[in-house]
């Protein structure tokens, strides 16, 4: 379970660029829930993700994961709890490493990295099993450099990297923004399948109104650092993507 | 080039190959241009020379030299991570300070000769001993980089944001890599001192260029994604560099002399950078 209570984040404090990004933000996401966040650019969606992941320290308020307050836990340590998939597949993967090395790297997220060889048979079998979920034939290309893969394949790989190690909260930050429409649909479907199978708390930011209504249990609309509207399952079924887009424009 | 000159090039190549491994660790693996090496190479030589003069075991002298180099690397790391200095400045400053420290270690004598002193090369054939040492160091470093710890180090050089996402503590790992790298370079300096039979406070000048030249030649000769191959490439590059330098200095028609060494090295680095990669083209280079 994730709980954000009264989070305030101000960037460039005391300069002319002073910007109050998050203002008294409250959010509660239960176990197994899949929440979609929408909102215009600059409304604080990514800042909220960075606060949850620990890249940004809030000025006030608390980040609570499974009843423990992690507000002061550094992001490298918080990696054991929070898994993040980023918008750009080039940032989410390491192009000069092989698929296996990328997965091994992610497999140890939040664990102590010792002097044991990373390319063990046991791990490789796990990687093959997980990559097979993608139907992209990546399981037979473990030794390929990630730089040789397409953007869609890299983004799919970064999804697997996000779930290969244990976590409590999965954050998906506009994961389809850098992909072409049909690849985007494919990656989105894979992400939804993984979230469903993992049955753990997930939050996704998207600018695609269709995804915002199709996937997840509820949709939240953010504006000026706050959650201003909530659409539950019943409301969502009566909405069309165009109506949702109109709501964003209205606010 | 005579047999003796070739052998001497091979031996120097193996010694500087270890320096090249250290430089590869910082410049390539964690992407940290560490300029401490000019100082830590001499530090290794100085510590080894003083210990040998005092009659200590040559192997013990090598280990203490590596330890001293590690401390120098720790200094650079602390300057960078905790005092927020840029990586270049931290390295230059450390190398600058090491000049005085090295003189201090050598008790103010800028050149210590190891005449009639027992070194590890008086025990047996220097070439075979160096081959063994280089092989051990190569295997150890390659192994370290093939572990979870090594993978974390490599991730720092490639994608810091993702490394943090995966829970890698960048500052701590950077310091560890600097310690390891400078320990290797000082170790190599100590080997050089035992091999040449002297330690000189100015012998470290240009270590970084020699090491980089070796790393770059190696990358061109053995472009590979496997860690074991690319670490071997550093040592191979260093040997090839030494042979090329010896060949250049000994070809009479070129008319080059010892003082032209830096010019040759610099020219070689430029030539290597312009040369297309042999074999496979590097992906997304």
């Amino acid at each position: 379970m994730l709980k954000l209570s009264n989070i305030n984040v101000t960037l460039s404090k005391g300069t002319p660029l002073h910007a109050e990004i998050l203002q008294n933000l409250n959010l509660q996401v239960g176990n197994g829930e899949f929440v979609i966040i929408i909102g215009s650019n600059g409304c604080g969606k990514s800042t909220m993700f960075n606060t949850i992941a620990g890249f940004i320290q809030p000025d006030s308020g608390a980040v609570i994961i499974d009843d423990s307050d992690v507000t002061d836990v550094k992001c490298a340590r918080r990696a054991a709890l929070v898994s993040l998939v980023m918008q750009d597949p080039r940032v989410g993967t390491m192009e000069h490493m092989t698929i296996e090395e990328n997965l091994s790297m992610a497999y140890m997220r939040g664990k102590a990295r010792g002097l044991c060889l990373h390319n063990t048979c046991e791990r490789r079998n796990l990687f093959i099993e997980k990559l097979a979920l993608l139907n992209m034939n990546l399981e037979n290309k473990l030794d390929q450099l990630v730089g040789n893969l397409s953007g869609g394949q890299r983004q799919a790989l970064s999804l697997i990297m996000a779930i290969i190690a244990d976590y409590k909260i999965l954050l998906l930050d506009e994961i389809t923004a850098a992909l072409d429409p049909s690849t985007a649909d494919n990656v989105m479907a894979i992400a939804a399948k993984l979230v469903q199978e993992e049955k753990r708390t997930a939050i996704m930011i998207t600018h695609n109104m269709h995804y915002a209504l199709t996937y997840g249990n509820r949709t939240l609309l953010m504006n000026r650092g706050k959650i201003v509207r909530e659409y539950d399952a019943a409301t969502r079924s009566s909405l069309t993507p165009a109506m949702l887009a109109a709501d964003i424009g209205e606010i | 080039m005579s047999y003796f000159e070739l052998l001497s090039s091979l031996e120097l190549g193996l010694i500087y190959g270890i320096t090249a491994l250290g430089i590869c660790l910082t410049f390539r693996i964690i992407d940290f241009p560490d300029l401490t090496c000019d100082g830590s190479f001499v530090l290794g030589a100085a510590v080894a020379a003083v210990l040998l003069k005092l009659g200590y075991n040559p192997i013990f002298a090598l280990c203490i030299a590596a330890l001293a180099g590690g401390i120098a690397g720790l200094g650079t790391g602390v300057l960078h991570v905790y005092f927020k200095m840029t990586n270049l400045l931290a390295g230059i400053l450390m190398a600058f300070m090491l000049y005085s420290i090295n003189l201090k270690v050598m008790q103010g004598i800028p050149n210590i000769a190891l005449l009639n002193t027992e070194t590890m090369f008086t025990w047996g054939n220097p070439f075979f001993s160096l081959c063994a040492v280089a092989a051990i160091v190569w295997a150890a470093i390659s192994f370290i980089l093939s572990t979870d710890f090594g993978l974390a180090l490599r991730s720092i050089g490639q994608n810091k944001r993702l490394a943090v996402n995966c829970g890698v503590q960048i500052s701590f790992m950077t310091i560890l890599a600097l310690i390891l790298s400078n320990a290797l370079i000082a170790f190599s300096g100590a080997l050089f001192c035992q091999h040449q039979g002297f330690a000189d406070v100015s012998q470290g000048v240009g270590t970084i260029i020699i090491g980089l030249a070796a790393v770059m030649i190696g990358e061109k000769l053995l472009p590979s994604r496997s860690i074991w191959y690319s670490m071997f490439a550093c040592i191979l590059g260093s040997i090839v560099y030494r042979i090329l330098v010896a060949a250049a200095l000994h070809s009479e028609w070129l008319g080059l002399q010892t003082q032209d060494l830096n010019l040759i090295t610099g020219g070689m680095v430029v030539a290597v950078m312009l040369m297309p990669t042999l074999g496979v083209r590097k992906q997304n280079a």
Side-chain angles (χ1 to χ4, degrees), chain A residues 50 55 75-76 79 84 86 91-94 96-97 101 104-105 108-109 113-114 116-118 123 143 147-148, chain B residues 143-149 151-152 154-155 158-159 161-169 225 283-285:
Chain A
N50 284 332
F55 285 101
C75 62
L84 176 65
M86 285 176 286
V91 184
T93 51
M94 281 177 261
H96 296 299
M97 285 198 197
E101 286 166 337
S104 239
M105 174 70 206
M108 292 307 283
R109 185 183 58 231
R113 292 164 198 270
C116 293
L117 288 176
H118 74 81
R123 266 191 221 183
D143 293 330
N148 295 346
Chain B
F143 174 80
I144 288 175
L145 290 176
S146 311
T147 62
D148 284 318
F149 170 77
L151 212 51
R154 290 163 63 197
S155 74
Q158 297 200 19
N159 189 336
R161 175 72 203 250
L162 184 58
V164 176
N165 270 356
C166 289
V168 176
Q169 285 167 321
R225 62 178 93 135
Q283 309 286 347
N284 303 323

Side-chain angles (χ1 to χ4, degrees), chain A residues 140-159:
Chain A
N140 298 322
K141 295 180 184 166
L142 279 180
D143 293 330
Q144 282 258 358
L145 284 184
V146 168
N148 295 346
L149 303 181
S150 69
Q153 286 172 321
R154 285 177 73 167
Q155 195 62 312
L157 175 64
S158 69
L159 278 171

Side-chain angles (χ1 to χ4, degrees), chain A residues 117-135:
Chain A
L117 288 176
H118 74 81
N119 48 351
T120 59
C121 225
E122 189 191 342
R123 266 191 221 183
R124 198 171 301 148
N125 290 335
L126 174 74
F127 298 162
I128 289 172
E129 181 196 318
K130 292 286 179 190
L131 286 173
L133 296 172
L134 299 177
N135 280 327

